[in-house]
RNA sequence: UGCGGGAUGGUGUAAGGGUAGCACAAAUGACUCUGACUCAUUGUGUGAGGGUUCGAAUCCUUCUCCCGCAGCCA
């Protein structure tokens, strides 16, 4: 594991005896699904604990019952486990509500917090602006006893939402807005998914988080950059409460990935407006979406390792993620043959009723890769794109008079073809070199092109979903020119192919298994697949240098 | 015009006074029963100006630009 500025800071704390162990936490709010940005945070939080032999707890940050729900907790845990991380304990900020409440009372008694009866609007007005100081609330200096009494009555549910709040008494003239007497408790008559109706006051993040961290024994509380301004408050809370071993907050830049969205609000919109099929749509950058797409935990973790950790805002190239996925799958995926856009080839000199087995490697990346049988017969399917009537230069696939090798089988030569009224090729007629079984020419002649194929009478039918990036622009969050994410949806982000022909081996594919469909890409079974209707998802295509060459040639001719 | 951060090739990230490196991307070539993989090669960078120093991405200084902050959200 490579180091970074956070791990260096931790090492320094250990050296200086600030802490004698390392403990971290991953604190998602249970109000949505985890996405690739969370994956980075997870790798950093759990990675820090792992690196220093400490523990990382999962803590659900559930201080706002109006936004959170148990339904997300299960999904969050599944995603973390799937990524391959193990937490120490599962905790909830709500586990600490009693203690946090006591902390609030302690602050009031110390004269460091007061109940304010200003309305939300008034509080905003009194806060001042970025350049002007705020002014003190008229309730700011009310007697401790009065605040204490009011806070207890707030707690007992005597007041309606918004009637009053508990505020820390810090400095209304602070240049840091967060220090201008921040609200630390508000009245919320709402049922909490864990504590039920026990509470009608709930602590704010800024108050609950440092207390939860420290109570739990967290040494290093790692979070994203937008909390940098909150750190003075984080430290103030812990100092005011006189905790002997306060946690230390360190911030890092969150992940941005081009062509993708990592805003919960916007992802929710995609789901609600049915732009995608759900949170686990394979085009989503959610962990569950990537899982369904066929991305592996190893690839995602490798990606998080490679992007590094820093404090500079940046946008990582989606191509890096794809590279990590391909690199991992290349090592693991069993090779198989599937024809997505089939066109029939009839090998005229091959015996009508004959079937034989040919063999292809399970995975050439494996040392001494085992082989497995594939049935071959007189009629096969090949890919539409692998035949051209009038091929351009450098095209070494099939065309009239040309020879190609059928992967693992025979060398064939195109003798003729048939087309329909639209000029579309319907049947290709070939002869095969019976001496070339396995794919080697008896006279040693070089055959440049090798095609994948599927025996027509052995083929099984399947639906294949071709996924591509969901957005047409690198930054779908860009709302200048009055546009929004809906304007950037890639119409071709899902192409469903219903007439795909697979070799029979694929009938036994299992959920979670990855295959390389030879010359096409990596694919996995979709969770909606059934015995009667096989559905495969394309995880990522193979790199295609022919596509580059041919499009370049086209540009030249244009 | 407040406070807090940040700036290194196209992208991301190292170098902590001593040869600006790595990865992805791009390009070229080799290899190839996957136009994949692999291998080789190439180009492109320290935001700007001043200073300290034998020597500066790194230290000092001035400036520029970018990001975040005015929820009873997290």
């Amino acid at each position: 594991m490579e180091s970074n500025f956070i791990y260096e800071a931790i090492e320094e704390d250990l050296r200086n005896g600030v802490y004698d162990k390392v403990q971290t936490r991953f604190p998602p709010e249970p109000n949505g699904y985890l996405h690739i940005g969370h994956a980075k945070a997870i790798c950093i939080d759990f990675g820090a604990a792992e690196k220093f032999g400490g523990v990382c707890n999962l803590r659900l940050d559930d201080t706002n019952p109006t936004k959170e729900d148990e339904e997300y907790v299960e999904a969050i845990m599944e995603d973390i486990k799937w990524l391959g991380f193990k937490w120490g304990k599962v905790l909830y900020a709500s586990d600490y509500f009693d203690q946090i409440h006591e902390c609030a009372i302690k602050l009031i008694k110390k004269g460091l917090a007061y109940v304010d009866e200003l309305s939300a609007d008034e509080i905003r007005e009194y806060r001042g602006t970025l350049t002007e100081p705020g002014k003190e609330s008229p309730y700011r200096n009310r007697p401790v006893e009065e605040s204490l009494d009011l806070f207890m009555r707030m707690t007992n549910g005597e007041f309606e939402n918004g009637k009053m709040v508990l505020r820390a008494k810090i400095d209304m003239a602070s240049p840091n807005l967060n220090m201008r007497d921040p609200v630390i408790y508000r009245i919320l008559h709402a049922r909490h998914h864990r504590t039920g109706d026990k509470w009608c006051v709930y602590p704010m993040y800024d108050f609950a988080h440092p207390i939860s961290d420290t109570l739990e024994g967290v040494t290093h509380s790692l979070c994203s950059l937008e909390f940098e301004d909150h750190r003075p408050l984080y430290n103030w809370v812990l100092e005011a409460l006189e905790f002997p071993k306060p946690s230390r907050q360190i911030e890092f830049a969150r992940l941005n990935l081009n062509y993708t969205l990592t805003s919960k609000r916007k992802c929710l919109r995609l789901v609600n407006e049915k732009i995608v099929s759900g949170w686990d749509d394979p085009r989503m950058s959610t962990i569950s979406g990537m899982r369904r797409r066929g991305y592996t935990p190893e690839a995602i973790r490798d990606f998080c390792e490679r992007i590094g950790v820093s404090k500079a805002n940046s946008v990582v190239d989606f191509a890096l993620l794809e590279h990590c996925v391909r690199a991992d799958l290349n090592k693991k995926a069993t090779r198989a043959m599937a024809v997505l856009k089939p066109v029939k080839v009839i090998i005229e000199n091959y015996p009508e009723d004959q079937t034989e087995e040919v063999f292809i490697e399970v995975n050439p990346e494996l040392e001494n890769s085992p082989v497995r049988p594939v049935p071959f017969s007189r009629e096969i399917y090949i890919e539409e794109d692998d035949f051209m009537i009038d091929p351009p230069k450098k095209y070494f696939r099939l065309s009239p008079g040309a020879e190609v090798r059928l992967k693992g089988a025979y060398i064939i030569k195109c003798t003729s073809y048939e087309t329909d009224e639209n000029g579309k090729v319907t049947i290709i007629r070939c002869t095969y070199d019976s001496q070339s079984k396995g794919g080697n020419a008896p006279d040693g002649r070089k055959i440049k092109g090798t095609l994948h194929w599927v025996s027509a009478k052995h083929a099984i039918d399947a639906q294949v979903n071709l996924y591509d990036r969901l957005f047409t622009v690198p930054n779908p969050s860009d709302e200048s020119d009055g546009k929004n994410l809906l304007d950037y949806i890639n119409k071709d982000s899902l192409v469903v192919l219903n007439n795909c022909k697979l070799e029979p081996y694929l009938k036994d594919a299992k959920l979670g298994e990855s295959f390389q469909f030879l010359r096409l890409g990596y694919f996995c079974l979709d969770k909606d697949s059934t015995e009667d209707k096989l559905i495969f998802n394309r995880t990522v295509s193979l790199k295609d240098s022919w596509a580059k060459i041919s499009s370049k040639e086209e540009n030249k001719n244009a």
Side-chain angles (χ1 to χ4, degrees):
Chain A
M1 190 188 308
E2 295 229 349
S3 194
N4 58 55
F5 78 96
I6 293 177
Y7 296 166
E8 283 169 17
I10 293 175
E11 274 161 12
E12 198 183 329
D13 282 346
L14 256 17
R15 236 190 340 268
N16 297 338
V18 181
Y19 304 106
D20 52 14
K21 55 145 196 177
V22 172
Q23 185 172 321
T24 58
R25 103 268 89 118
F26 174 62
E29 184 186 13
N31 71 343
Y33 287 77
L34 262 27
H35 54 61
I36 183 72
H38 293 107
K40 173 182 179 180
I42 289 169
C43 289
I44 293 171
D45 288 335
F46 283 87
E50 210 166 279
K51 182 181 176 86
F52 296 100
V55 169
C56 178
N57 290 325
L58 169 62
R59 184 171 72 232
L60 287 307
D61 216 339
D62 56 352
T63 55
N64 187 348
T66 65
K67 293 200 171 168
E68 295 141 10
D69 202 282
E70 187 71 28
E71 101 170 74
Y72 296 108
V73 173
E74 201 62 37
I76 288 170
M77 294 199 289
E78 187 190 350
D79 288 345
I80 298 170
K81 278 192 276 191
W82 178 76
L83 281 174
F85 291 104
K86 291 187 172 53
W87 51 75
K89 296 176 187 160
V90 178
L91 300 163
Y92 292 79
S94 53
D95 294 339
Y96 307 115
F97 279 175
D98 283 308
Q99 291 158 91
I100 295 170
H101 192 261
E102 282 165 26
C103 287
I105 292 170
K106 181 170 180 178
L107 243 38
I108 298 172
K109 286 182 175 163
K110 287 184 79 173
L112 293 175
Y114 61 96
V115 170
D116 195 359
E117 292 174 57
L118 252 28
S119 71
D121 284 343
E122 287 167 326
I123 286 180
R124 189 179 318 118
E125 280 168 35
Y126 276 63
R127 188 153 31 226
T129 68
L130 293 177
T131 51
E132 303 155 39
K135 50 181 192 197
E136 299 186 349
S137 162
Y139 301 99
R140 192 176 203 260
N141 292 311
R142 75 191 333 165
V144 166
E145 286 312 316
E146 199 175 301
S147 279
L148 212 47
D149 175 60
L150 254 15
F151 185 57
M152 291 321 290
R153 291 169 60 193
M154 279 167 64
T155 305
N156 291 336
E158 290 184 31
F159 310 111
E160 59 198 52
N161 290 357
K163 197 76 185 164
M164 53 187 74
V165 292
L166 183 68
R167 290 229 257 170
K169 190 191 282 189
I170 308 180
D171 178 9
M172 287 308 291
S174 171
N176 180 345
L177 281 323
N178 296 119
M179 300 297 271
R180 317 242 262 230
D181 289 11
V183 172
I184 57 176
Y185 255 95
R186 77 287 213 188
I187 300 171
L188 244 33
H189 289 273
R191 183 177 181 81
H192 188 280
H193 71 97
R194 303 214 58 188
T195 60
D197 294 321
K198 177 174 178 184
W199 299 94
C200 48
V201 290
Y202 291 91
M204 299 288 289
Y205 167 87
D206 281 320
F207 193 56
H209 210 85
I211 295 172
S212 310
D213 281 342
T214 299
L215 246 25
E216 206 167 295
V218 167
T219 55
H220 300 270
S221 182
L222 314 177
C223 63
S224 47
L225 245 32
E226 67 266 32
F227 293 103
E228 223 160 5
D229 291 335
H230 296 241
R231 184 167 9 107
L233 176 53
Y234 183 99
N235 293 335
W236 182 93
V237 168
L238 296 178
E239 199 186 323
L241 261 10
E242 300 169 65
F243 281 105
K245 277 273 184 198
S247 311
R248 198 238 274 211
Q249 173 180 303
I250 302 176
E251 313 83 12
F252 60 88
R254 62 168 61 205
L255 166 67
N256 298 296
L257 237 199
N258 59 17
Y259 296 99
T260 88
L261 231 41
T262 44
S263 141
K264 267 184 203 168
R265 205 189 85 246
K266 289 176 179 166
C267 289
L268 182 65
R269 185 166 177 199
L270 295 174
V271 174
N272 285 344
E273 301 193 18
K274 305 260 193 286
I275 307 291
V276 295
S277 64
W279 285 100
D280 67 346
D281 186 292
R283 290 166 294 180
M284 295 282 274
S285 62
T286 50
I287 310 254
S288 52
M290 294 189 291
R291 175 167 58 233
R292 187 169 177 185
R293 174 88 172 247
Y295 286 18
T296 59
E298 292 78 10
I300 294 169
R301 289 175 68 159
D302 180 37
F303 171 74
C304 290
E305 184 69 30
R306 289 185 192 227
I307 57 176
V309 182
S310 78
K311 297 194 68 155
N313 296 318
S314 59
V315 183
V316 175
D317 196 337
F318 193 82
L320 180 59
L321 214 207
E322 293 194 321
H323 167 81
C324 294
V325 172
R326 288 191 184 107
D328 188 46
L329 257 19
N330 181 44
K331 286 183 303 186
K332 297 175 181 166
T334 293
R335 312 289 129 125
M337 292 200 283
V339 176
L340 270 27
K341 295 179 184 167
V343 52
K344 187 169 273 187
V345 174
I346 299 174
I347 302 164
E348 300 194 289
N349 59 340
Y350 191 88
E352 291 253 0
D353 297 318
Q354 185 171 318
T355 290
E356 59 186 311
E357 280 184 338
V358 301
F359 293 86
I360 65 169
E361 291 164 301
V362 169
N363 182 346
E365 300 297 315
L366 262 32
E367 223 175 311
N368 301 318
S369 170
V371 295
R372 60 180 188 79
V374 182
F376 182 82
S377 63
R378 186 171 192 263
E379 296 191 3
I380 60 168
Y381 294 109
I382 65 166
E383 213 69 60
E384 250 177 43
D385 287 349
D386 285 340
F387 178 80
M388 281 184 91
I389 297 168
D390 186 18
K393 282 191 210 70
K394 294 182 194 163
Y395 183 86
F396 43 85
R397 276 115 100 143
L398 198 60
S399 58
E403 266 193 325
V404 294
R405 172 169 38 235
L406 296 175
K407 174 74 185 178
Y410 291 99
I411 295 168
I412 57 170
K413 182 177 196 168
C414 173
T415 52
S416 65
Y417 60 90
E418 295 166 20
T419 57
D420 63 15
E421 63 275 16
N422 301 316
K424 186 174 150 61
V425 176
T426 50
I427 289 180
I428 300 166
R429 296 185 185 276
C430 292
T431 54
Y432 82 120
D433 179 342
S434 62
Q435 299 304 298
S436 65
K437 182 162 187 189
N440 293 311
D443 57 359
R445 66 185 188 278
K446 286 271 176 276
I447 303 295
K448 187 88 169 144
T450 300
L451 308 186
H452 61 279
W453 51 273
V454 170
S455 165
K457 71 177 166 199
H458 301 92
I460 53 175
D461 292 310
Q463 173 184 324
V464 171
N465 299 326
L466 262 24
Y467 292 104
D468 198 357
R469 51 180 61 142
L470 226 202
F471 299 101
T472 55
V473 296
N475 178 17
S477 291
D478 181 7
E479 293 184 350
S480 58
D481 302 334
K483 297 201 170 175
N484 66 59
L485 64 159
L486 265 19
D487 296 312
Y488 305 128
I489 298 291
N490 175 10
K491 301 282 187 294
D492 300 320
S493 60
L494 168 58
V495 174
V496 177
L497 266 21
N498 271 305
N499 186 32
C500 305
K501 305 292 183 183
L502 314 188
E503 58 157 305
Y505 171 75
L506 260 0
K507 181 83 185 162
D508 299 320
K510 308 239 173 350
L511 220 49
E513 247 180 317
S514 284
F515 301 91
Q516 185 194 95
F517 288 180
L518 236 44
R519 302 207 303 137
L520 296 173
Y522 297 97
F523 294 77
C524 66
L525 202 65
D526 185 76
K527 68 167 193 185
D528 288 345
S529 187
T530 63
E531 286 267 319
D532 303 328
K533 172 134 181 126
L534 281 179
I535 307 175
F536 280 86
N537 292 329
R538 183 172 70 189
T539 305
V540 64
S541 66
L542 247 31
K543 283 214 262 178
D544 187 352
S545 55
W546 167 245
K548 276 180 197 171
I549 296 168
S550 59
S551 69
K552 214 183 294 172
E553 293 292 322
E554 247 172 69
N555 288 341
K556 237 186 263 175
N557 299 335

